[in-house]
Amino acid sequence: QRSTLSADDIRYIAKMTRARAVPPMEGLENHVHGQVPGVKVCVNPGEEDQMEIQGYSLSTMKMAATLFGCLLSGGLLLIIFYWKPEWKIYCTHKPCALDMADTVILQNQYKQLYVESVRILTSDGTMYKLLKPFARFLPGGTRQNLKEVKIHYTEDGKFRDGSAIKYFVNRKLKYIWKSDRQQFVKLRGLEADYQCSFYHTSNGLPYSEQQQRQLLYGENNIIVHVTPIIKILFLQALNPFYVFQLFSVILWYLDEYEYYASCIIIISVISLSVTIYETRKMQRALKGTLTGSSTVSVCKGNGEYIEQMSDMLVPGDVIEVPRMGCVMQCDAVLLSGNCIVNESMLTGESVPVTKTPLPNHRNQTFSMKEHSRHVLFCGTHVLQTRYYGDMKVRAVVIRTGFATAK
């Protein structure tokens, strides 16, 4: 049972927590975890990508004052908000508990700030839509009406039916809201908290189950968009350096330094052109390194295999590794047969390595680090497979998309 704390107690404890440089909310999880406005908590605690998170909700009065300030500044305030997105949140939102937040600000160990919008994923089994967590946008006008919506999500290492999911995306990774823990947690596949024997019981997913998991995990692809030239030009022109150059040119023209101001314009245009060219070249080169989707053989239970595009793979699918090899489109645990794999794309080592099936141990928890010799990583090239008789070389998908090693 949770004990009752007064508002003064909460403020005092939060103040002392920050003053002592103790990780936010440490020791208060059983009382007010995720519920105290203005107090930061951690996501991914103890991991390399640990970050502090603070929730914010829209304030009508602050929004009105900010709009008035934008008018008075002639739009200059909007440019400042473009340079500093977190300042926009500070000026238009107020701190709140995470369960009531429509926007979150994250800060990593390098003091970098990320502003992310909180969304809600709903589904009726065949369709889904993304909505901002405002009651007026939700079915029937209240959040309580979402209780009947069912969707699959990971919780404590198992897939269960739950209500609609609140989430945000940071650096291509999705973080979902866990109401029982009152915090956001990173969405994971099947790479943690499972016994090794679990993977050997996998017999594939029926189409309906696969479709539901796709709602949560999304398509299995890594897409790098090539930004249009006009957009790159606009974004570069808003750089503080070029904004300063613009005001300088205006000043020099007013002082009748036409030749000097013209030289600044010519140099700035050349600099912008080179930047746009280099940016587009880099984006195209990166996009060229990514292999597109391919056709894979997926088990649908009872030994039935069908051909489908790799974009549709989700954690839990059982696939057949082709005998003549392939390029892996996901991270998968090898269940049967051996594979000779070229992992130079990930490790830089040109010598092929042999992957063996994962041992069927009941009392051993799977670990990506300890059992890497049994994992086929996304982007690596399977050169050849070894099998016995008519046995298929099978693997179970554990991670897809941006969550993979690739």
Side-chain angles (χ1 to χ4, degrees):
Q1 296 182 351
R2 295 184 177 181
S3 61
T4 303
L5 295 176
S6 66
D8 292 337
D9 292 335
I10 293 175
R11 284 193 292 268
Y12 174 77
I13 296 174
K15 180 179 179 181
M16 295 302 295
T17 300
R18 291 195 297 270
R20 296 175 182 176
V22 177
M25 303 302 295
E26 186 174 70
L28 296 178
E29 295 182 355
N30 294 330
H31 300 288
V32 292
H33 189 65
Q35 296 292 334
V36 182
V39 177
K40 297 178 181 179
V41 295
C42 286
V43 293
N44 308 325
E47 301 181 15
E48 293 182 356
D49 55 350
Q50 175 177 315
M51 295 180 289
E52 290 184 343
I53 182 173
Q54 170 64 58
Y56 291 86
S57 61
L58 184 66
S59 172
T60 305
M61 294 185 61
K62 283 189 172 184
M63 175 63 76
T66 302
L67 291 176
F68 184 69
C70 292
L71 294 176
L72 290 180
S73 64
L76 181 60
L77 194 58
L78 295 177
I79 298 180
I80 295 177
F81 287 159
Y82 171 75
W83 296 338
K84 292 288 187 178
E86 63 274 11
W87 289 9
K88 178 182 177 181
I89 303 302
Y90 298 150
C91 293
T92 59
H93 290 61
K94 58 183 179 181
C96 68
L98 286 178
D99 61 339
M100 300 299 295
D102 57 64
T103 303
V104 295
I105 295 181
L106 301 107
Q107 179 177 327
N108 62 15
Q109 56 183 333
Y110 305 108
K111 305 302 180 182
Q112 295 175 319
L113 298 178
Y114 302 91
V115 177
E116 309 294 353
S117 297
V118 178
R119 299 180 179 272
I120 290 182
L121 174 63
T122 64
S123 172
D124 59 1
T126 56
M127 298 182 63
Y128 73 97
K129 51 186 175 180
L130 298 174
L131 299 171
K132 291 185 177 181
F134 293 104
R136 62 179 179 276
F137 293 125
L138 300 182
T142 61
R143 302 180 187 181
Q144 284 71 22
N145 291 333
L146 295 173
K147 290 182 178 179
E148 298 303 321
V149 181
K150 300 295 183 181
I151 191 169
H152 285 268
Y153 67 104
T154 55
E155 180 178 294
D156 300 331
K158 297 181 180 179
F159 281 90
R160 303 176 183 175
D161 286 330
S163 59
I165 297 172
K166 182 164 59 175
Y167 74 98
F168 68 86
V169 178
N170 175 252
R171 293 185 295 180
K172 303 298 184 179
L173 298 178
K174 186 176 292 185
Y175 293 79
I176 62 175
W177 175 255
K178 292 295 184 69
S179 56
D180 57 335
R181 298 167 60 179
Q182 289 294 296
Q183 63 178 338
F184 285 99
V185 298
K186 185 190 298 184
L187 177 64
R188 302 183 185 275
L190 305 181
E191 74 274 19
D193 301 326
Y194 284 91
Q195 301 296 321
C196 292
S197 58
F198 163 80
Y199 300 97
H200 288 273
T201 61
S202 301
N203 295 316
L205 301 175
Y207 179 76
S208 58
E209 178 77 10
Q210 185 188 51
Q211 197 173 37
Q212 286 184 320
R213 295 193 186 189
Q214 278 184 337
L215 298 181
L216 185 60
Y217 288 100
E219 292 187 353
N220 174 38
N221 51 32
I222 301 176
I223 300 177
V224 176
H225 297 284
V226 178
T227 309
I229 295 178
I230 299 298
K231 185 175 181 180
I232 298 177
L233 176 62
F234 178 76
L235 295 177
Q236 289 296 326
L238 290 178
N239 187 287
F241 173 75
Y242 291 109
V243 173
F244 169 76
Q245 292 287 59
L246 175 62
F247 283 104
S248 298
V249 167
I250 295 174
L251 178 62
W252 291 124
Y253 272 121
L254 292 176
D255 286 344
E256 299 182 355
Y257 285 87
E258 291 89 354
Y259 294 109
Y260 183 75
S262 299
C263 288
I264 293 179
I265 292 177
I266 294 174
I267 294 174
S268 298
V269 170
I270 295 176
S271 176
L272 277 172
S273 301
V274 172
T275 301
I276 293 173
Y277 172 77
E278 292 294 336
T279 302
R280 293 270 296 185
K281 181 181 178 181
M282 179 185 63
Q283 290 179 348
R284 287 178 174 175
L286 181 60
K287 186 175 183 178
T289 61
L290 301 176
T291 306
S293 61
S294 60
T295 303
V296 294
S297 181
V298 183
C299 180
K300 292 301 178 182
N302 299 323
E304 177 187 1
Y305 285 81
I306 64 171
E307 300 290 330
Q308 69 177 43
M309 298 303 295
S310 60
D311 291 348
M312 300 177 62
L313 292 176
V314 295
D317 274 330
V318 176
I319 62 175
E320 177 187 2
V321 183
R323 297 183 178 182
M324 300 304 296
C326 66
V327 176
M328 293 299 299
Q329 302 294 332
C330 60
D331 289 348
V333 173
L334 191 61
L335 300 180
S336 61
N338 296 332
C339 295
I340 300 176
V341 184
N342 181 1
E343 293 187 335
S344 59
M345 182 267 189
L346 296 180
T347 64
E349 179 59 53
S350 60
V351 179
V353 297
T354 301
K355 300 289 184 174
T356 58
L358 179 72
N360 189 2
H361 294 160
R362 293 181 177 271
N363 299 323
Q364 186 176 11
T365 302
F366 177 78
S367 170
M368 289 291 293
K369 183 177 181 179
E370 296 179 5
H371 298 95
S372 60
R373 63 183 180 276
H374 311 299
V375 179
L376 303 174
F377 294 103
C378 180
T380 58
H381 187 195
V382 179
L383 303 176
Q384 184 182 0
T385 63
R386 297 176 180 175
Y387 51 92
Y388 301 97
D390 296 331
M391 182 179 66
K392 297 180 180 293
V393 179
R394 300 186 308 129
V396 58
V397 178
I398 58 175
R399 296 188 302 199
T400 58
F402 281 96
T404 60
K406 182 178 182 179

